[in-house]
Amino acid sequence: MQTQIQCPQCGTPFTTEVHQLVDAQRTPHLKEMLLGGALNVAQCPSCGMTTRLASPLMYHDSENEMLIVHVPMELNWPMEEQERQIGRMAKAITDSLPPEQFKSYLLQPKTIITMQTFMEQVYATEGITPEMIQRQQNQAQLLQQLVTGDKLTQLSLINEKEDLIDETFFAMLTQNLQMLEQNPAPEANQQFILLTNLQARLFTMTKIGKELEQQQVALAGFQQAVKTQGGLSY
């Protein structure tokens, strides 16, 4: 559903999409957004700041017979309102299922206090361990430090924490670049330039960066050859 929010940094009001129900089998695109940390995250069209939206979230996975819900504490809902909203979401889930798929676990949604524990349970169904989650959090923190640091700080961090810079790290960097590229705000363009320069530095300074750059060069050469020859033959 659409909701109106105000950017906490620059105060710009804008409309964004909020999702309260994620079904692993029926809405796999929302599941992918949830796993990637992009669900219910809004980006200000003016300054480019990203904000995580405080909203109740219910996750259903019929293959693992899981129905869990998280209600952010910052909503300050009384218990009666929490129960009403959870009941509303659970009914929406059960109403969407054919009768033969109804099972007893759907009658008792499991309430998860923190979003971290909520995500750990979702990740567990994908074979992702808490250690893997912690590594990704460390990578996200490192990316933020690199973006905000000067050149000397970047060089020091790259040398010190190169073990965190892998294909997943570069995927995070690429995702941020894609988001910024779609944002017309001047501040977003400045961030895009900073990230592009950081990416170039990582290509030359890290082992995985050099490998990925070689792959890109090889792919570009292949695409150019195909274009010159008029396409692929089968």
Side-chain angles (χ1 to χ4, degrees):
M1 65 179 180
Q2 295 285 319
T3 187
Q4 183 85 5
I5 68 169
Q6 187 175 43
C7 177
Q9 178 164 284
C10 69
T12 300
F14 63 98
T15 301
T16 189
E17 189 79 18
V18 178
H19 299 280
Q20 295 183 343
L21 299 175
V22 177
D23 190 293
Q25 285 71 45
R26 296 170 65 87
T27 56
H29 64 291
L30 294 182
K31 174 186 175 182
E32 289 301 315
M33 290 177 66
L34 177 64
L35 291 172
L39 189 75
N40 294 342
V41 174
Q43 185 174 46
C44 175
S46 179
C47 70
M49 179 180 181
T50 57
T51 304
R52 184 165 296 280
L53 306 174
S55 174
L57 180 63
M58 179 169 284
Y59 181 81
H60 176 229
D61 184 344
S62 59
E63 291 182 359
N64 292 285
E65 296 193 357
M66 173 187 286
L67 184 63
I68 58 177
V69 61
H70 169 64
V71 178
M73 294 182 65
E74 55 263 41
L75 292 177
N76 292 318
W77 283 351
M79 186 58 65
E80 295 80 6
E81 179 63 14
Q82 288 192 39
E83 291 175 351
R84 189 180 73 82
Q85 293 292 341
I86 291 172
R88 175 185 61 83
M89 291 187 288
K91 185 176 186 302
I93 291 287
T94 55
D95 286 351
S96 68
L97 297 173
E100 63 272 15
Q101 291 186 16
F102 185 86
K103 294 185 179 180
S104 59
Y105 75 91
L106 294 167
L107 296 172
Q108 300 251 335
K110 184 178 180 182
T111 301
I112 309 298
I113 302 299
T114 68
M115 190 61 184
Q116 179 177 345
T117 304
F118 181 94
M119 288 306 304
E120 285 176 356
Q121 296 206 19
V122 176
Y123 282 130
T125 65
E126 299 293 306
I128 301 174
T129 66
E131 290 75 21
M132 295 176 183
I133 298 171
Q134 183 61 55
R135 178 176 173 82
Q136 286 200 0
Q137 291 174 344
N138 292 341
Q139 289 175 317
Q141 182 180 24
L142 174 60
L143 179 57
Q144 183 63 29
Q145 291 172 334
L146 288 170
V147 170
T148 57
D150 57 25
K151 183 177 179 179
L152 288 178
T153 300
Q154 287 184 353
L155 296 176
S156 176
L157 286 170
I158 292 171
N159 287 325
E160 179 185 346
K161 300 185 178 182
E162 186 174 351
D163 62 305
L164 290 175
I165 303 173
D166 55 14
E167 290 188 7
T168 299
F169 184 88
F170 271 94
M172 288 181 181
L173 179 54
T174 300
Q175 184 181 42
N176 277 271
L177 281 169
Q178 291 172 344
M179 290 176 61
L180 290 168
E181 193 173 22
Q182 297 171 5
N183 191 326
E187 295 85 354
N189 184 59
Q190 293 172 4
Q191 283 290 103
F192 180 82
I193 294 172
L194 287 173
L195 279 182
T196 301
N197 291 337
L198 172 61
Q199 185 183 56
R201 187 162 291 140
L202 291 171
F203 276 146
T204 60
M205 288 190 62
T206 64
K207 179 180 179 182
I208 185 64
K210 293 174 183 177
E211 293 175 358
L212 291 174
E213 186 177 36
Q214 289 175 357
Q215 291 175 15
Q216 289 187 5
V217 171
L219 179 59
F222 173 75
Q223 290 173 337
Q224 182 60 38
V226 170
K227 183 177 179 180
T228 303
Q229 297 170 12
L232 294 171
S233 58
Y234 294 89

